[in-house]
Amino acid sequence: LQLLEKLAREKDTAGWTGLGLAVQAYQKRGEAVVGWLGDLARDTNRRLMVRLVKGAYWDSEVKRAQVDGQPDYPVFTTKQATDVSYLTCAESLIETGPLIYPQFATHNAHSLAAIDLMAKRAGRTDYEFQRLHGMGVALYKAAGRERAVRIYAPVGAHQDLLPYLVRRLLENGANTSFVHSFLDEDVPAERIAIDPYTLLSAAPNRHPRIPPPPALYGASRINSRGLDFSQKETRERIAGAIAALDKVGPLVAGSIIAGKAQTSNGEKVGSPADASRAIGRVASATDADIDAAYASALEYQPHWNAVGGAKRADILEAMANAMELETDRLIAILAREGGKTLDDCIAEVREAVDFCRYYAVEAETKF
């Protein structure tokens, strides 16, 4: 979107009416993006071509949100929600006016008929339908639009194109697919062209078998929380945490023996990314420290053994929660101490949190 805005405001592209992009309706931000595009078109007084699709990378979007520990998915988890979003975005594009040239990519009879009706009511004829090469032929023939539809084909390198094509094969082979139903003579026409608003009203909630990312592991444990560094607010917050760490000055660290940190006579630790920056002072364990740690652990072992798995699980869970609350500060320490990228930092914090929660479950069920 930033790139599109920059191009839209460039003098070298003034007067060119081919500038545009595709909007994926399965994304929850779809309607907001359409509104933003309308504002950009009016502000720059230029026509934008906007291709509306439902989206072909749903699986990747869902898996990425799970792996990254996001609070929720950026996409809808049910087909009827995506279908309604598509029609909502379509209506917004049509109502924006001639500064937006809508291009509706669809193989769905209800979507085609609904968009035609929306355009007729708005008095617009400056729009087009699109279909994928080899798909939707029967639909557009039945609608009398054989010669009034743009036929397109995806182009790209094998590693980029294959996921798209596999997704389309899975999508169109599914029982819920319009393309699949349209070619099945046993499926009545009423079911093929069913209103998605009716389906959404009957089942308005998220997909029951796709829990949000935090609940990825079910009742056993919570998925560790991630950060989205594509968000400016998040980057600024972490930058603030790093600045706060620098302001405090060098940290001190050492062995913890019988609950007490041994930090005297520490050695200076510098930043691997900046040799002039002192990160902290670390006191290495002496032979006496090691003997004392063994003695303390041996003395405490009977009590720890009597604690039992459930109590150990509580301690591990509390540790996980404490680290997660201190995520920003831990990222700052990792960035300064190891010279790591922010992505590596959050991955390390999340791994520690995940380990604590995983072994908390193991402790409760195995001890």
Side-chain angles (χ1 to χ4, degrees):
L1 296 179
Q2 290 175 337
L3 178 59
L4 180 76
E5 181 175 14
K6 182 173 179 60
L7 290 172
R9 298 184 186 282
E10 282 287 335
K11 293 181 179 179
D12 292 343
T13 62
W16 182 47
T17 58
L19 184 63
L21 83 171
V23 174
Q24 300 179 109
Y26 69 0
Q27 290 192 337
K28 296 175 181 177
R29 66 173 183 167
E31 186 178 9
V33 170
V34 169
W36 181 86
L37 290 169
D39 291 340
L40 178 64
R42 284 186 287 267
D43 190 43
T44 58
N45 193 33
R46 67 178 305 156
R47 191 191 75 164
L48 297 175
M49 301 176 72
V50 180
R51 180 169 179 259
L52 184 64
V53 300
K54 289 184 179 177
Y57 300 96
W58 182 89
D59 304 83
S60 299
E61 298 266 21
V62 168
K63 181 51 63 180
R64 188 178 295 111
Q66 293 172 339
V67 171
D68 291 347
Q70 296 305 312
D72 206 347
Y73 301 111
V75 296
F76 296 105
T77 56
T78 64
K79 181 180 183 302
Q80 60 267 26
T82 297
D83 288 345
V84 168
S85 174
Y86 187 90
L87 292 178
T88 301
C89 291
E91 187 170 28
S92 295
L93 287 172
I94 290 171
E95 292 179 348
T96 299
L99 283 177
I100 293 289
Y101 178 67
Q103 301 167 293
F104 301 109
T106 183
H107 305 109
N108 184 288
H110 184 278
S111 298
L112 190 155
I115 291 169
D116 262 344
L117 182 60
M118 292 175 190
K120 184 177 180 180
R121 288 174 175 172
R124 291 196 63 177
T125 58
D126 55 332
Y127 67 98
E128 70 178 52
F129 285 107
Q130 299 181 348
R131 68 171 179 84
L132 187 64
H133 179 67
M135 288 177 55
V137 178
L139 169 63
Y140 283 95
K141 182 177 181 180
R145 285 183 169 271
E146 287 179 275
R147 301 181 182 279
V149 58
R150 189 186 297 263
I151 302 172
Y152 63 98
V155 177
H158 178 268
Q159 66 269 23
D160 299 321
L161 197 56
L162 187 60
Y164 173 86
L165 295 176
V166 169
R167 173 62 188 161
R168 299 316 296 257
L169 285 172
L170 291 172
E171 177 186 85
N172 295 320
N175 290 332
T176 55
S177 165
F178 170 81
V179 173
H180 181 277
S181 301
F182 189 80
L183 298 175
D184 189 341
E185 295 181 357
D186 294 330
V187 178
E190 292 79 8
R191 179 178 168 185
I192 293 176
I194 192 169
D195 178 12
Y197 290 95
T198 301
L199 294 175
L200 186 61
S201 297
N205 298 323
R206 66 189 312 130
H207 197 292
R209 298 182 65 182
I210 307 176
L216 176 63
Y217 301 111
S220 63
R221 59 189 173 100
I222 303 172
N223 189 17
S224 58
R225 186 176 69 240
L227 296 177
D228 183 0
F229 289 119
S230 70
Q231 301 296 315
K232 182 180 179 181
E233 180 182 2
T234 301
R235 296 195 303 272
E236 290 178 343
R237 194 182 78 232
I238 298 302
I242 295 174
L245 181 71
D246 292 342
K247 187 176 181 180
V248 170
L251 303 174
V252 293
S255 303
I256 300 176
I257 304 172
K260 296 181 180 179
Q262 312 298 315
T263 59
S264 60
N265 301 319
E267 298 178 358
K268 176 185 174 182
V269 176
S271 167
D274 182 359
S276 66
R277 184 188 297 275
I279 301 301
R281 303 189 69 83
V282 176
S284 299
T286 64
D287 290 344
D289 289 334
I290 295 172
D291 290 339
Y294 270 116
S296 175
L298 184 63
E299 181 184 354
Y300 192 75
Q301 195 278 333
H303 174 74
W304 181 246
N305 188 59
V307 164
K311 183 61 178 177
R312 295 184 197 184
D314 290 342
I315 295 171
L316 287 168
E317 186 67 35
M319 183 63 185
N321 294 339
M323 285 192 291
E324 203 161 61
L325 285 173
E326 292 291 328
T327 292
D328 292 3
R329 183 170 181 271
L330 291 173
I331 288 176
I333 293 174
L334 289 166
R336 284 292 185 239
E337 179 188 29
K340 297 184 176 183
T341 64
L342 296 184
D343 282 332
D344 283 343
C345 292
I346 184 59
E348 188 163 334
V349 174
R350 291 188 63 215
E351 183 178 36
V353 172
D354 275 329
F355 269 129
C356 285
R357 286 177 179 159
Y358 172 81
Y359 285 108
V361 175
E362 292 292 292
E364 195 162 14
T365 56
K366 303 290 176 62
F367 288 87

